[in-house]
Amino acid sequence: MEKKKYYVNVGSGEISQVKYDNNEEFVIHATDDEIIFLREKFNNMNDAGVRTFFRAHVPIMSYHNDQSNDSYDAGLQEAYQMLYQLGDEQAKAHIKEMGILGDTHM
C-alpha cells in the first residue's frame, strides 16, 4: 500500500493530510491501515481519559491504583511508538528527546 504524508497532533488527537494552524506536531508517512490503527489508539486514549475524569471525582479511589490511568499511559506510549516508527527524522528526534519510549523501543 502507498504511504501518504500526515500531520499529527497528539494533544488534540488530530490526524490530517492538510497542514494548518499547529497540527504539525509530528509528520508521519503511513498507509491507510496504519492510520486506522493510530486512530484506534487515539480513540482508546480518549476513552481512558474520560474514565479517568470520572474516577477523579471519587475520593476513595487513588490515582496510582486506577486502571483507566494505566490504560491511558499505555495507549500514549503505544501511540508514540507508532509515531516514532512512521515519523520523519524530525519526529523521531523529537520523540527521542522526550524520552517517553526509553532506549529499548527505538
Side-chain angles (χ1 to χ4, degrees), residues 26 77 80-86 89-106:
F26 297 102
Q77 190 165 25
Y80 275 111
Q81 178 66 45
M82 193 167 183
L83 291 172
Y84 183 84
Q85 292 170 343
L86 300 172
E89 290 306 314
Q90 186 174 354
K92 288 180 182 187
H94 183 96
I95 292 169
K96 198 171 204 176
E97 184 178 303
M98 291 171 66
I100 192 168
L101 299 179
D103 292 334
T104 59
H105 297 287
M106 293 185 203

Side-chain angles (χ1 to χ4, degrees), residues 23-72:
N23 72 337
E24 80 278 5
E25 181 180 18
F26 297 102
V27 176
I28 65 171
H29 298 275
T31 64
D32 292 341
D33 290 341
E34 290 168 330
I35 291 301
I36 290 169
F37 192 54
L38 182 60
R39 169 56 48 214
E40 288 174 2
K41 289 188 181 303
F42 282 173
N43 289 345
N44 290 340
M45 287 170 43
N46 183 60
D47 292 346
V50 169
R51 289 191 309 273
T52 298
F53 172 79
F54 287 110
R55 192 267 332 137
H57 293 86
V58 180
I60 61 170
M61 293 179 69
S62 58
Y63 172 84
H64 64 281
N65 288 327
D66 183 19
Q67 180 60 39
S68 296
N69 284 328
D70 295 341
S71 294
Y72 182 87

